[in-house]
Amino acid sequence: MFIEKDPSGARKVRSTGQILGTADKLDAIYERIFTAVMEHRLIPGTRLVEEKLAGVFKVNRTRIREVLARLAYEGIVATIPHRGAFVASPSVEEARHVFQARRILEPALIRSLAARGDKKDLKRLHAHVARERAARESGDKRAVIRLSGEFHLLIAEMVASPPLIKLMRELASITCLIILLYDSPNVPACPNHEHTDIIMAMERGEIDAASAIMLGHLDHIEATLDLSLPENTDVDLDAIFG
Ligand SMILES: [Zn+2]
């Protein structure tokens, strides 16, 4: 459904009929594959055979290709020419490099922010953590992973250095994928209380402590990841989605 503005400025609603139905169907397939990855029913390196998925979801291969393209754009799926689509699989080495960069960057970001001692910053951080808690309580794991990453981005944005924001954005999205692929189901991406501990140390003006808690927090996230998953190739797509 599209909402358009007509020349008089009034809003009108236009139904797109069949097109909408197709989009809904694609969204549903996307959600099911995404959820299967999130729940570790599809693991890194799993080959996503177009023909097989088309059969399982009862749509043609063009539709499956559209869904896989969307997942590839988000970095969840990797497409290899002449071989097909696979669940993306950042290597253990890549994951470790990402955490190494974050350990160097983020304690320094917190230090800059805490030194500024702006009450408005603290208010924004508290508001963000409240949203994380709400997502956790409602069991919305996808929102929890996304909001956890956004907490770290928010800190970079508040420090407001464009090159650091860009770097943090890249590191946070790769981490989101790493967590998505390697996290044990039901283990929280970022323990909520650790975000709160960082804010509270900042409130007390304890700059060193805030920075140290951030460092410990990143160590903690990395330690909860299971980076020993096998490079799987063949799974029974019928059993997972049928
Ligand atoms: Zn965190």
Side-chain angles (χ1 to χ4, degrees):
M1 209 184 293
F2 293 114
I3 297 173
E4 289 183 332
K5 264 190 170 175
D6 70 16
S8 70
R11 298 174 95 188
K12 63 177 181 181
V13 174
R14 178 165 61 93
S15 168
T16 53
Q18 189 54 42
I19 298 166
L20 182 68
T22 305
D24 280 350
K25 178 90 179 160
L26 292 190
D27 279 347
I29 297 170
Y30 166 87
E31 285 295 334
R32 290 198 60 194
I33 296 177
F34 190 97
T35 306
V37 172
M38 293 289 292
E39 294 170 354
H40 287 187
R41 286 184 289 128
L42 277 179
I43 66 168
T46 302
R47 185 161 178 229
L48 298 169
V49 186
E50 276 176 21
E51 207 175 331
K52 191 88 181 158
L53 287 169
V56 170
F57 291 115
K58 299 183 174 54
V59 291
N60 63 42
R61 286 176 63 173
T62 310
R63 299 281 170 243
I64 293 298
R65 255 197 294 274
E66 286 177 46
V67 173
L68 293 179
R70 180 172 164 193
L71 289 159
Y73 179 76
E74 293 175 0
I76 296 163
V77 159
T79 314
I80 302 171
H82 311 297
R83 289 194 58 210
F86 298 80
V87 177
S89 182
S91 68
V92 169
E93 198 187 9
E94 282 167 320
R96 299 226 184 278
H97 283 154
V98 165
F99 278 97
Q100 182 190 38
R102 292 190 61 168
R103 273 194 296 271
I104 293 168
L105 177 64
E106 294 190 61
L109 285 175
I110 276 292
R111 192 172 283 281
S112 298
L113 198 64
R116 187 158 90 183
D118 189 332
K119 286 205 164 50
K120 270 186 274 174
D121 290 343
L122 296 167
K123 217 174 147 188
R124 279 182 74 188
L125 290 170
H126 273 304
H128 187 90
V129 170
R131 286 171 63 206
E132 281 183 61
R133 195 177 301 116
R136 214 177 289 276
E137 281 165 7
S138 67
D140 190 346
K141 191 171 182 343
R142 281 181 57 189
V144 170
I145 290 180
R146 179 175 51 79
L147 288 166
S148 293
E150 283 175 3
F151 174 81
H152 295 260
L153 267 178
L154 183 60
I155 290 164
E157 278 161 15
M158 288 190 303
V159 172
S161 158
L164 292 179
I165 293 169
K166 187 167 173 280
L167 179 57
M168 194 59 231
R169 221 169 250 291
E170 197 178 313
L171 292 170
S173 62
I174 301 169
T175 303
C176 194
L177 181 64
I178 291 165
I179 288 171
L180 199 145
L181 297 169
Y182 294 108
D183 197 8
S184 312
N186 308 318
V187 171
C190 281
N192 215 29
H193 68 88
E194 292 183 1
H195 287 176
T196 306
D197 291 347
I198 293 166
I199 305 170
M200 284 170 71
M202 287 170 68
E203 262 167 351
R204 292 190 300 269
E206 295 171 1
I207 299 173
D208 288 341
S211 174
I213 296 167
M214 175 58 91
L215 186 60
H217 176 58
L218 293 169
D219 284 340
H220 203 158
I221 300 169
E222 190 177 359
T224 62
L225 299 175
D226 178 6
L227 298 172
S228 61
L229 288 169
E231 300 276 321
N232 192 32
T233 46
D234 294 315
V235 294
D236 186 351
L237 294 174
D238 275 321
I240 291 172
F241 296 113

